[in-house]
Amino acid sequence: MRASQFLISTLKEAPADAEVASHKLMTRAGMIKKLGAGIYTYMPMGLRVIRKVEAIVREEMDRAGAVELTMPVVQPAELWQETGRFDKMGPELLRIQDRHERDFIVQPTSEEVVTDIGRQELRSYKQLPKNLYQVQTKFRDERRPRFGLMRGREFIMKDAYSFDRDLEGAKKSYQGMAQAYRRIFDRFGLRYRAVAADSGAIGGDLSEEFQVIAATGEDAIVYCPDSDYAANMEKAEALAPAGPRPAAKQEMKKVPTPGKATCEDVAALLGVPLQSTVKSIVLASDEVDDQGVVKSSKLWLLLLRGDHGMNEIKASKVPGLDAGFRFATVAEIEQHFGTKPGYLGPIALREKVKIVADREVAVMADWICGANEEDFHITGVNWGRDLPEPDLVADIRNVVEGDPSPDGKGPLSIERGIEVGHIFVLGTKYSKPMNATFLDEDGKPKLFEMGCYGIGITRLPAAAIEQNHDERGIIWPDAIAPFTVVVCPIGMDRSADVKAAAEKLHDELAAAGVDVLLDDRGERPGAMFADWELIGVPHRVVISDRGLKEGQLEYQHRRDAAATKVPAADVLAFVKGRLAK
């Protein structure tokens, strides 16, 4: 490939709306161009990266025995109505109508369509297991698209779906995909972690996320440096403290705390550790009739240590809150507690509420909470003596750095990551409402046990950049770089020797199967080097008249601080040797 034939459109400045490195650099490197909010054109340079990501994914999916197909972007609403997701999903599901006023959706995912395929095509247990996958455009109407390809509205995703006879088979298919995903992410050349995860809105039991490690990642990854334990923040278990609850040592007292409505402020005022305070979070669960009208509401008081944060995913698994909850309104809080938020506690309630204590709070003694009176808190509170034991004790908090690992092998650490892949065992979540069955060995119909496996194709290059960049631009891993090697001739338009040497090296590298580009634009050296450092091509060979006279060329990896002089006769072997590392 010659640069003069390609479309290279680098920019000196990033757009004003670009917040993260990947958005800035992909735009400046001419890889993407914004068309609308969260909608981008993949320019030729960026598309080459995406195609390399797709190729690796396809190779490993095929190797794992999955079969590729393509499902429509626009799908009839009837399938989504079968599972209830047409009504349950929020405005992120783009609903449209055709000229006959029939309802359709623009797919954010394809569980319904693939389940429909399964129930039509997979009639017998003899056809199982089966894994169908696609690499297809998706659309989610994000409320606030941002960060370029990290959180766009239109994106490309690889999604695969497995069909099995039973749960044991589904778990086997899941493990096969887990291994395939590790091969995929190993080949990308990125630092990543596979972490236990909550299945979220898609549903299911077994679940793992694949997170690219990056300081700018939105997700917190919890792991044990001394073991293989890793989980996302939603899934990571906070163990109950070891040992029994200490005996009460303090007398319960109501103390004035004027204007101090947070645990931090109260602890500072009283001169006590924040860990001795207890925060109150009030939730509500609603009972609705067949028309969705709220008939009654129950309030729940969740108690956490003052320095801990509530984990909404864990809270949603508490019996009674597992059907859904919301945060209570100020009016509901004042009715039940007699005061506004900031001074709430489990003592002297006006009306009955269900009390859920975090595991840590359940074993605390002499703690501090709100007095249910504005500008007052209570110190020296103890379970059993001053108030009944909580109705429920559960793990409802986020873990923090230094908590003990659930596997008992050391303290936990936390780092940031960007989710680029997710795998689930779905069970019968979709086959049951869609009555997707096959005839089992006994001749009776049986529901498919399914799995779901996704990779964010267009998100992955952005994640790679967040992990691999410097002040000059992108630093691509070889496997997904738009070009692996760039040949940069200085004065090619003025020197026949430079031109001949550059074209010879380009042709030899291309013949050896190397993805090489020759920059024949005639740019000044500074501008030429700046472009390729910004674009992030990992290997660069510079050819100049002076170097040829000395019988040497200059090689430099994108991460190298300085160039290495290589004999002209040896440069092909040298570059191929560097590519093999």
Side-chain angles (χ1 to χ4, degrees):
M1 175 65 69
R2 265 68 170 171
S4 59
Q5 298 171 322
F6 203 71
L7 180 58
I8 298 169
S9 50
T10 56
L11 301 171
K12 291 187 183 298
E13 300 292 334
D17 65 342
E19 300 175 69
V20 295
S22 58
H23 189 187
K24 295 175 183 177
L25 293 173
M26 290 192 88
T27 304
R28 287 189 55 215
M31 295 190 170
I32 58 173
K33 186 174 286 293
K34 184 176 178 179
L35 183 63
I39 302 174
Y40 293 86
T41 298
Y42 309 128
M43 299 296 284
M45 195 69 73
L47 186 61
R48 288 183 68 87
V49 177
I50 291 168
R51 290 290 182 254
K52 288 188 176 183
V53 171
E54 290 177 351
I56 290 173
V57 169
R58 281 190 168 99
E59 287 173 16
E60 294 300 338
M61 291 300 293
D62 293 346
R63 177 182 169 189
V67 182
E68 186 172 6
L69 79 171
T70 300
M71 291 174 275
V73 174
V74 176
Q75 302 174 358
E78 288 86 350
L79 293 176
W80 287 69
Q81 288 163 346
E82 284 188 58
T83 62
R85 289 210 295 175
F86 185 78
D87 297 316
K88 288 179 183 175
M89 284 191 75
E92 68 271 12
L93 180 65
L94 184 61
R95 300 162 175 85
I96 58 176
Q97 289 187 327
D98 67 6
R99 67 179 68 194
H100 304 294
E101 298 186 349
R102 292 176 297 205
D103 289 321
F104 290 82
I105 62 98
V106 179
Q107 67 148 352
T109 181
S110 283
E111 282 82 7
E112 282 80 0
V113 173
V114 81
T115 304
D116 183 54
I117 292 169
R119 69 183 173 183
Q120 293 185 56
E121 299 295 331
L122 304 176
R123 303 179 183 278
S124 168
Y125 72 95
K126 295 180 181 179
Q127 295 172 274
L128 304 177
K130 200 70 73 188
N131 190 327
L132 305 175
Y133 81 94
Q134 66 172 350
V135 178
Q136 177 62 294
T137 298
K138 304 291 200 322
F139 189 92
R140 290 179 188 160
D141 197 2
E142 292 273 1
R143 178 194 295 266
R144 189 183 167 210
R146 55 184 181 151
F147 303 158
L149 299 189
M150 293 278 285
R151 190 182 287 182
R153 292 197 292 167
E154 182 183 285
F155 52 95
I156 299 171
M157 186 173 172
K158 187 284 298 178
D159 46 330
Y161 306 91
S162 59
F163 295 82
D164 281 275
R165 288 178 65 180
D166 51 31
L167 188 56
E168 184 180 348
K171 290 180 178 179
K172 187 175 179 181
S173 293
Y174 172 93
Q175 294 302 333
M177 282 291 97
Q179 292 171 17
Y181 269 48
R182 283 165 173 78
R183 292 195 299 269
I184 288 169
F185 288 103
D186 286 344
R187 288 182 61 182
F188 287 149
L190 303 174
R191 289 190 302 110
Y192 73 94
R193 285 188 185 275
V195 301
D198 187 83
S199 298
I202 292 183
D205 298 318
L206 281 177
S207 178
E208 256 181 312
E209 286 175 356
F210 289 79
Q211 299 266 2
V212 169
I213 307 305
T216 53
E218 292 185 281
D219 297 328
I221 303 169
V222 180
Y223 70 101
C224 178
D226 302 316
S227 73
D228 294 331
Y229 178 81
N232 66 11
M233 185 59 76
E234 289 77 16
K235 186 77 171 179
E237 181 184 5
L239 295 179
R245 181 192 297 159
K249 295 180 179 178
Q250 299 178 16
E251 190 180 330
M252 188 174 75
K253 293 181 181 178
K254 187 168 81 169
V255 297
T257 53
K260 307 302 181 185
T262 69
C263 289
E264 290 81 1
D265 288 345
V266 171
L269 175 69
L270 301 180
V272 297
L274 181 58
Q275 291 86 340
S276 66
T277 65
V278 169
K279 68 173 65 170
S280 298
I281 299 174
V282 187
L283 306 179
S285 56
D286 298 325
E287 184 181 350
V288 297
D289 60 21
D290 294 339
Q291 283 72 46
V293 177
V294 176
K295 295 192 299 182
S296 62
S297 300
K298 178 190 290 186
L299 256 60
W300 301 68
L301 177 62
L302 274 61
L303 301 176
L304 295 100
R305 205 172 75 183
D307 60 330
H308 289 158
M310 185 183 81
N311 185 309
E312 291 191 33
I313 298 298
K314 291 181 180 179
S316 71
K317 292 177 169 39
V318 172
L321 294 174
D322 49 358
F325 67 82
R326 58 178 173 81
F327 287 91
T329 65
V330 172
E332 289 172 323
I333 290 171
E334 289 179 343
Q335 175 188 338
H336 286 73
F337 294 86
T339 188
K340 65 182 182 180
Y343 303 93
L344 308 180
I347 295 176
L349 301 174
R350 282 190 175 183
E351 296 188 25
K352 174 68 176 173
V353 300
K354 198 91 168 176
I355 296 177
V356 182
D358 180 68
R359 289 171 172 176
E360 193 86 31
V361 174
V363 296
M364 287 176 63
D366 299 326
W367 39 278
I368 301 167
C369 65
N372 293 319
E373 181 180 344
E374 189 171 353
D375 293 335
F376 286 91
H377 280 74
I378 299 177
T379 63
V381 179
N382 285 272
W383 296 107
R385 186 192 73 181
D386 305 318
L387 77 167
E389 297 291 336
D391 297 304
L392 287 169
V393 175
D395 174 20
I396 55 173
R397 72 172 175 93
N398 290 323
V399 300
V400 295
E401 189 102 12
D403 277 344
S405 177
D407 63 6
K409 295 183 179 179
L412 292 173
S413 293
I414 298 174
E415 60 188 352
R416 310 302 299 180
I418 300 165
E419 183 187 343
V420 290
H422 205 159
I423 59 178
F424 309 82
V425 169
L426 293 172
T428 59
K429 181 176 176 66
Y430 294 92
S431 58
K432 186 174 182 179
M434 296 185 70
N435 194 30
T437 63
F438 63 96
L439 290 181
D440 207 357
E441 198 168 5
D442 59 5
K444 295 180 180 179
K446 189 175 180 182
L447 293 170
F448 292 108
E449 294 283 347
M450 294 176 60
C452 172
Y453 319 96
I455 290 178
I457 299 292
T458 43
R459 178 179 248 215
L460 204 139
I465 293 171
E466 292 296 328
Q467 189 180 93
N468 298 278
H469 69 274
D470 60 16
E471 69 282 354
R472 294 174 291 166
I474 302 165
I475 308 173
W476 289 111
D478 285 12
I480 56 175
F483 294 95
T484 312
V485 178
V486 60
V487 177
C488 294
I490 297 175
M492 180 176 175
D493 53 337
R494 301 186 303 274
S495 170
D497 290 343
V498 169
K499 183 174 186 294
E503 290 181 342
K504 179 175 180 289
L505 179 58
H506 169 273
D507 294 346
E508 288 174 342
L509 286 167
V514 176
D515 191 7
V516 59
L517 179 136
L518 171 61
D519 192 343
D520 60 347
R521 296 175 297 166
E523 291 280 358
R524 292 177 294 103
M528 181 165 50
F529 298 163
D531 274 349
W532 298 116
E533 288 172 345
L534 173 60
I535 292 166
V537 174
H539 304 271
R540 184 178 77 197
V541 179
V542 177
I543 302 175
S544 66
D545 254 332
R546 178 185 295 177
L548 288 175
K549 288 174 183 176
E550 296 173 354
Q552 292 183 322
L553 309 183
E554 288 187 351
Y555 164 86
Q556 188 168 358
H557 187 273
R558 179 63 179 78
R559 291 190 184 276
D560 292 346
T564 301
K565 291 188 177 183
V566 181
D570 300 336
V571 71
L572 179 62
F574 182 88
V575 173
K576 288 168 67 176
R578 288 301 302 261
L579 296 177
K581 290 184 179 180

